[in-house]
Amino acid sequence: MKELRDKGFKLDNSYSKLSDIFFTVQTPSKVPSPKLVALNYSLINSLGLDSKFLQSNEGVEFLAGNKILDKSTIIAQAYAGHQFGHFTMLGDGRAVLIGEHISPKGERVDIQLKGSGRTPYSRGGDGKAALGPMLREYIISEAMNSFGIPTTRSLAVVTTGESIIRESYLKGAVLTRIASSHIRVGTFEFAARFGNIHELKELTDYTINRHYPNIINEENRYLLFLQNVIKKQAELIAKWQLAGFIHGVMNTDNMTISGETIDYGPCAFMDVYDPKTVFSSIDVQGRYSYENQPKLAAWNLARFAETLVPLIHENQDEAIEMAQNSVLEFENIYKKNWLSGMRSKLGIFNEETEDERLIENLLNMMHKYGADYTNTFSSLTLDKKDDIAMFSTSEFSKWNKLWEDRLTRQPETKESVKQLMQNSNPYIIPRNHRVEEALTAASKNDDYGVMDRLLDALSKPFAYSKEQYEYSTLPEPSNNKYRTFCGT
Ligand code: AMP
Ligand code: MG
């Protein structure tokens, strides 16, 4: 095969220089007739890539895995993980890493093709992906990015011209995913379980160098590394909770070391506020419900901490104690971030101890009256207290009085309060019925206009513009009973 030269990519393959156990060299499967259906121009620009190339026939062949770049060592990464509490060997079963691209700002990002065929880690799977779930990942990951929530990004989706077999025949597709890396808690579980101490140390040093370079020369860098990852994850999960985002499958292989959200399988945004909300059809016990996300993140981080025990201190008892104490800190860091985010959602700049109670009372009331999570906050932002049933209750009037009094106990003007609220409360989220509508139009009718309009609205979630109004309305009736499925 004639290989493609450069094409705007500044490729490096540092991960493939690690020991052999961490990956397998793997060529993506050929597909019959690739067609470009989504391309992310703003991401292309920020990465310094060539949009003309990516739109060209050769570019589309590249995005489908049919053509490869001459400097790339393509690999499938090995990892393990706890899935719903049980340890399993996993790995990239339907994805390959094309390489790392160095952006004009000097940032290193992974370029991964997802849905690119079988690998040695595929187990029983076909290595393929269906169009619907890949577009879903594209829409939701880009929305998360617009909300300011750390996330992997979506560069492109191509259909492959293949039918893949799920419950029925579906259109096959490949998503190009960009991530600051794909190193997961599960990668460390893999190293700790199947590697020797040198390999564990090699992966850890590599990851510190890539994601936390400021601690590389510290004597206790392994403990600091653990603490840094815990902090990043606590900040991330607080952002999820504040946005009403439910990941749905927080297995340890779906938790990154960089602190980016990854793996948009059964995720969805909550509409009616209910802490027990679960969307994923496979999460029968509600393990990954909205209210459980912080607890489960801490559980995952405990699994991560265990992998680092051999490196943290030569005395293993001391190492365990240090690791445990670090994991215990998750709750405090998470809580601090959540409280500060909630204050901003309510336009509160300074801190009072009673704030937490004010927030809890609002949330409890929202739960009791079945209020929409996003719209409650956007209506409070707009001072439009007539469109939600809860607003006409005497309970709300009492709460509202306390809130208004609270806002007078800070020097900021009404204008600044409104600005803070507007920047903290999205007007538009990827509502489940809107996402479904876009996916149906695209996969059933080849109509990508519905998705493009949705993506456009989602790219400015804090604009509060009139044209966005239609995306802020709820389905009738509420679809908290909505079910999502893993995109396998
Ligand atoms: P996920 O549910 O996407 O986090 O995937 C869990 C594991 O299953 C990972 O090792 C995936 O690579 C693998 N996997 C998911 N879908 C497929 C598929 N269609 N073929 C092969 N492996 C898959
Ligand atoms: Mg996964």
Side-chain angles (χ1 to χ4, degrees), residues 40 42-43 46-47 137-138 141-142 145-146 151-156 175-180 260-261 264:
N40 192 336
S42 68
L43 182 57
S46 69
L47 293 176
E137 168 152 352
Y138 189 106
S141 63
E142 287 309 300
N145 180 62
S146 301
T151 177
T152 62
R153 303 284 305 272
S154 299
L155 187 78
L175 169 86
T176 307
R177 178 158 76 182
I178 305 293
S180 73
E260 288 179 347
T261 310
Y264 292 89

mmCIF file of all heavy atoms in Angstrom, residues 40 42-43 46-47 137-138 141-142 145-146 151-156 175-180 260-261 264:
data_model
loop_
_atom_site.group_PDB
_atom_site.id
_atom_site.type_symbol
_atom_site.label_atom_id
_atom_site.label_comp_id
_atom_site.label_asym_id
_atom_site.label_seq_id
_atom_site.Cartn_x
_atom_site.Cartn_y
_atom_site.Cartn_z
ATOM 1 N N ASN A 40 -15.060 17.823 12.078
ATOM 2 C CA ASN A 40 -15.043 18.852 13.120
ATOM 3 C C ASN A 40 -14.018 19.943 12.764
ATOM 4 O O ASN A 40 -12.844 19.850 13.125
ATOM 5 C CB ASN A 40 -14.679 18.163 14.435
ATOM 6 C CG ASN A 40 -14.899 19.046 15.626
ATOM 7 O OD1 ASN A 40 -14.905 20.274 15.516
ATOM 8 N ND2 ASN A 40 -15.074 18.427 16.784
ATOM 9 N N SER A 42 -13.575 23.096 13.727
ATOM 10 C CA SER A 42 -12.892 23.893 14.747
ATOM 11 C C SER A 42 -11.798 23.076 15.428
ATOM 12 O O SER A 42 -10.728 23.587 15.741
ATOM 13 C CB SER A 42 -13.884 24.494 15.752
ATOM 14 O OG SER A 42 -14.459 23.481 16.512
ATOM 15 N N LEU A 43 -12.059 21.782 15.608
ATOM 16 C CA LEU A 43 -11.018 20.931 16.205
ATOM 17 C C LEU A 43 -9.837 20.778 15.234
ATOM 18 O O LEU A 43 -8.668 20.841 15.643
ATOM 19 C CB LEU A 43 -11.614 19.563 16.573
ATOM 20 C CG LEU A 43 -10.682 18.570 17.255
ATOM 21 C CD1 LEU A 43 -10.083 19.143 18.538
ATOM 22 C CD2 LEU A 43 -11.415 17.264 17.571
ATOM 23 N N SER A 46 -7.767 23.856 15.561
ATOM 24 C CA SER A 46 -6.973 23.995 16.780
ATOM 25 C C SER A 46 -5.842 22.974 16.812
ATOM 26 O O SER A 46 -4.829 23.204 17.475
ATOM 27 C CB SER A 46 -7.851 23.938 18.027
ATOM 28 O OG SER A 46 -8.348 22.646 18.187
ATOM 29 N N LEU A 47 -5.981 21.870 16.093
ATOM 30 C CA LEU A 47 -4.896 20.880 16.068
ATOM 31 C C LEU A 47 -3.890 21.149 14.952
ATOM 32 O O LEU A 47 -2.884 20.452 14.833
ATOM 33 C CB LEU A 47 -5.472 19.468 15.894
ATOM 34 C CG LEU A 47 -6.303 18.922 17.063
ATOM 35 C CD1 LEU A 47 -6.890 17.569 16.699
ATOM 36 C CD2 LEU A 47 -5.443 18.804 18.322
ATOM 37 N N GLU A 137 -21.577 9.570 20.194
ATOM 38 C CA GLU A 137 -20.335 9.970 20.863
ATOM 39 C C GLU A 137 -19.887 11.340 20.351
ATOM 40 O O GLU A 137 -19.456 12.197 21.123
ATOM 41 C CB GLU A 137 -19.233 8.915 20.646
ATOM 42 C CG GLU A 137 -17.854 9.425 21.077
ATOM 43 C CD GLU A 137 -16.882 8.361 21.533
ATOM 44 O OE1 GLU A 137 -17.253 7.188 21.679
ATOM 45 O OE2 GLU A 137 -15.705 8.726 21.774
ATOM 46 N N TYR A 138 -19.992 11.528 19.030
ATOM 47 C CA TYR A 138 -19.577 12.813 18.432
ATOM 48 C C TYR A 138 -20.377 13.958 19.058
ATOM 49 O O TYR A 138 -19.813 14.951 19.538
ATOM 50 C CB TYR A 138 -19.818 12.746 16.917
ATOM 51 C CG TYR A 138 -19.238 13.908 16.134
ATOM 52 C CD1 TYR A 138 -18.104 13.751 15.357
ATOM 53 C CD2 TYR A 138 -19.832 15.164 16.169
ATOM 54 C CE1 TYR A 138 -17.572 14.805 14.627
ATOM 55 C CE2 TYR A 138 -19.309 16.225 15.449
ATOM 56 C CZ TYR A 138 -18.180 16.049 14.675
ATOM 57 O OH TYR A 138 -17.666 17.097 13.976
ATOM 58 N N SER A 141 -19.773 14.231 23.117
ATOM 59 C CA SER A 141 -18.426 14.671 23.523
ATOM 60 C C SER A 141 -18.201 16.132 23.139
ATOM 61 O O SER A 141 -17.601 16.900 23.899
ATOM 62 C CB SER A 141 -17.338 13.774 22.938
ATOM 63 O OG SER A 141 -17.314 13.826 21.534
ATOM 64 N N GLU A 142 -18.716 16.534 21.978
ATOM 65 C CA GLU A 142 -18.541 17.939 21.583
ATOM 66 C C GLU A 142 -19.356 18.870 22.479
ATOM 67 O O GLU A 142 -18.921 19.972 22.814
ATOM 68 C CB GLU A 142 -18.875 18.124 20.097
ATOM 69 C CG GLU A 142 -17.792 17.545 19.179
ATOM 70 C CD GLU A 142 -16.378 18.024 19.531
ATOM 71 O OE1 GLU A 142 -16.114 19.239 19.489
ATOM 72 O OE2 GLU A 142 -15.525 17.184 19.880
ATOM 73 N N ASN A 145 -17.459 19.320 25.675
ATOM 74 C CA ASN A 145 -16.363 20.270 25.475
ATOM 75 C C ASN A 145 -16.881 21.712 25.513
ATOM 76 O O ASN A 145 -16.260 22.584 26.123
ATOM 77 C CB ASN A 145 -15.659 19.973 24.157
ATOM 78 C CG ASN A 145 -14.519 20.917 23.905
ATOM 79 O OD1 ASN A 145 -13.566 20.950 24.676
ATOM 80 N ND2 ASN A 145 -14.634 21.734 22.885
ATOM 81 N N SER A 146 -18.027 21.945 24.902
ATOM 82 C CA SER A 146 -18.586 23.305 24.926
ATOM 83 C C SER A 146 -19.021 23.720 26.341
ATOM 84 O O SER A 146 -19.041 24.901 26.652
ATOM 85 C CB SER A 146 -19.804 23.405 24.008
ATOM 86 O OG SER A 146 -19.432 23.081 22.702
ATOM 87 N N THR A 151 -12.807 16.383 28.205
ATOM 88 C CA THR A 151 -13.330 15.244 27.452
ATOM 89 C C THR A 151 -12.438 14.889 26.278
ATOM 90 O O THR A 151 -11.706 15.740 25.776
ATOM 91 C CB THR A 151 -14.747 15.567 26.912
ATOM 92 O OG1 THR A 151 -15.209 14.456 26.123
ATOM 93 C CG2 THR A 151 -14.789 16.815 26.042
ATOM 94 N N THR A 152 -12.531 13.628 25.841
ATOM 95 C CA THR A 152 -11.985 13.270 24.540
ATOM 96 C C THR A 152 -12.833 14.008 23.511
ATOM 97 O O THR A 152 -13.964 14.396 23.799
ATOM 98 C CB THR A 152 -12.103 11.753 24.291
ATOM 99 O OG1 THR A 152 -13.490 11.391 24.294
ATOM 100 C CG2 THR A 152 -11.364 10.955 25.355
ATOM 101 N N ARG A 153 -12.288 14.216 22.318
ATOM 102 C CA ARG A 153 -13.021 14.959 21.281
ATOM 103 C C ARG A 153 -13.293 14.029 20.092
ATOM 104 O O ARG A 153 -12.739 12.943 20.001
ATOM 105 C CB ARG A 153 -12.170 16.153 20.812
ATOM 106 C CG ARG A 153 -11.744 17.121 21.897
ATOM 107 C CD ARG A 153 -12.857 18.028 22.358
ATOM 108 N NE ARG A 153 -13.510 18.781 21.321
ATOM 109 C CZ ARG A 153 -13.142 19.980 20.861
ATOM 110 N NH1 ARG A 153 -12.064 20.563 21.363
ATOM 111 N NH2 ARG A 153 -13.836 20.607 19.921
ATOM 112 N N SER A 154 -14.136 14.522 19.208
ATOM 113 C CA SER A 154 -14.464 13.746 18.014
ATOM 114 C C SER A 154 -14.063 14.541 16.791
ATOM 115 O O SER A 154 -14.534 15.663 16.584
ATOM 116 C CB SER A 154 -15.961 13.455 17.988
ATOM 117 O OG SER A 154 -16.307 12.699 19.127
ATOM 118 N N LEU A 155 -13.180 13.970 15.990
ATOM 119 C CA LEU A 155 -12.670 14.674 14.816
ATOM 120 C C LEU A 155 -13.523 14.407 13.588
ATOM 121 O O LEU A 155 -13.746 15.303 12.779
ATOM 122 C CB LEU A 155 -11.225 14.234 14.547
ATOM 123 C CG LEU A 155 -10.493 15.013 13.452
ATOM 124 C CD1 LEU A 155 -10.032 16.361 13.987
ATOM 125 C CD2 LEU A 155 -9.291 14.230 12.924
ATOM 126 N N ALA A 156 -13.970 13.167 13.443
ATOM 127 C CA ALA A 156 -14.702 12.811 12.224
ATOM 128 C C ALA A 156 -15.458 11.505 12.408
ATOM 129 O O ALA A 156 -15.117 10.700 13.275
ATOM 130 C CB ALA A 156 -13.714 12.647 11.065
ATOM 131 N N LEU A 175 -15.218 6.211 13.985
ATOM 132 C CA LEU A 175 -15.077 7.535 14.620
ATOM 133 C C LEU A 175 -13.594 7.817 14.825
ATOM 134 O O LEU A 175 -12.855 6.928 15.262
ATOM 135 C CB LEU A 175 -15.782 7.524 15.982
ATOM 136 C CG LEU A 175 -15.528 8.720 16.905
ATOM 137 C CD1 LEU A 175 -16.503 9.852 16.577
ATOM 138 C CD2 LEU A 175 -15.690 8.332 18.366
ATOM 139 N N THR A 176 -13.155 9.023 14.495
ATOM 140 C CA THR A 176 -11.783 9.409 14.842
ATOM 141 C C THR A 176 -11.843 10.172 16.149
ATOM 142 O O THR A 176 -12.477 11.222 16.242
ATOM 143 C CB THR A 176 -11.147 10.298 13.764
ATOM 144 O OG1 THR A 176 -11.266 9.630 12.514
ATOM 145 C CG2 THR A 176 -9.673 10.560 14.071
ATOM 146 N N ARG A 177 -11.210 9.605 17.158
ATOM 147 C CA ARG A 177 -11.261 10.189 18.502
ATOM 148 C C ARG A 177 -9.919 10.824 18.844
ATOM 149 O O ARG A 177 -8.869 10.251 18.568
ATOM 150 C CB ARG A 177 -11.618 9.088 19.494
ATOM 151 C CG ARG A 177 -11.648 9.554 20.934
ATOM 152 C CD ARG A 177 -12.498 8.646 21.788
ATOM 153 N NE ARG A 177 -11.843 7.394 22.121
ATOM 154 C CZ ARG A 177 -12.441 6.430 22.841
ATOM 155 N NH1 ARG A 177 -13.678 6.575 23.266
ATOM 156 N NH2 ARG A 177 -11.801 5.317 23.113
ATOM 157 N N ILE A 178 -9.997 11.994 19.429
ATOM 158 C CA ILE A 178 -8.799 12.705 19.873
ATOM 159 C C ILE A 178 -8.811 12.727 21.403
ATOM 160 O O ILE A 178 -9.834 13.065 22.000
ATOM 161 C CB ILE A 178 -8.816 14.168 19.351
ATOM 162 C CG1 ILE A 178 -8.977 14.224 17.832
ATOM 163 C CG2 ILE A 178 -7.574 14.937 19.823
ATOM 164 C CD1 ILE A 178 -7.817 13.686 17.028
ATOM 165 N N ALA A 179 -7.697 12.369 22.004
ATOM 166 C CA ALA A 179 -7.647 12.365 23.474
ATOM 167 C C ALA A 179 -6.262 12.808 23.903
ATOM 168 O O ALA A 179 -5.291 12.588 23.180
ATOM 169 C CB ALA A 179 -7.899 10.956 23.999
ATOM 170 N N SER A 180 -6.179 13.422 25.094
ATOM 171 C CA SER A 180 -4.831 13.798 25.526
ATOM 172 C C SER A 180 -4.024 12.534 25.806
ATOM 173 O O SER A 180 -2.810 12.556 25.716
ATOM 174 C CB SER A 180 -4.855 14.788 26.679
ATOM 175 O OG SER A 180 -5.247 14.140 27.826
ATOM 176 N N GLU A 260 -9.888 13.306 31.564
ATOM 177 C CA GLU A 260 -10.889 13.586 30.520
ATOM 178 C C GLU A 260 -12.007 12.543 30.595
ATOM 179 O O GLU A 260 -11.750 11.377 30.891
ATOM 180 C CB GLU A 260 -10.236 13.503 29.121
ATOM 181 C CG GLU A 260 -9.326 14.660 28.830
ATOM 182 C CD GLU A 260 -8.644 14.568 27.452
ATOM 183 O OE1 GLU A 260 -8.681 13.501 26.814
ATOM 184 O OE2 GLU A 260 -8.061 15.587 27.042
ATOM 185 N N THR A 261 -13.218 12.987 30.282
ATOM 186 C CA THR A 261 -14.336 12.049 30.157
ATOM 187 C C THR A 261 -14.067 11.185 28.934
ATOM 188 O O THR A 261 -13.665 11.693 27.886
ATOM 189 C CB THR A 261 -15.650 12.812 29.920
ATOM 190 O OG1 THR A 261 -15.747 13.838 30.898
ATOM 191 C CG2 THR A 261 -16.854 11.886 30.003
ATOM 192 N N TYR A 264 -18.279 7.338 25.477
ATOM 193 C CA TYR A 264 -19.671 7.778 25.454
ATOM 194 C C TYR A 264 -20.559 6.658 24.952
ATOM 195 O O TYR A 264 -21.028 6.689 23.832
ATOM 196 C CB TYR A 264 -19.791 9.033 24.594
ATOM 197 C CG TYR A 264 -19.090 10.210 25.233
ATOM 198 C CD1 TYR A 264 -17.752 10.479 25.000
ATOM 199 C CD2 TYR A 264 -19.786 11.025 26.110
ATOM 200 C CE1 TYR A 264 -17.115 11.540 25.609
ATOM 201 C CE2 TYR A 264 -19.156 12.098 26.732
ATOM 202 C CZ TYR A 264 -17.825 12.345 26.475
ATOM 203 O OH TYR A 264 -17.205 13.391 27.095
#
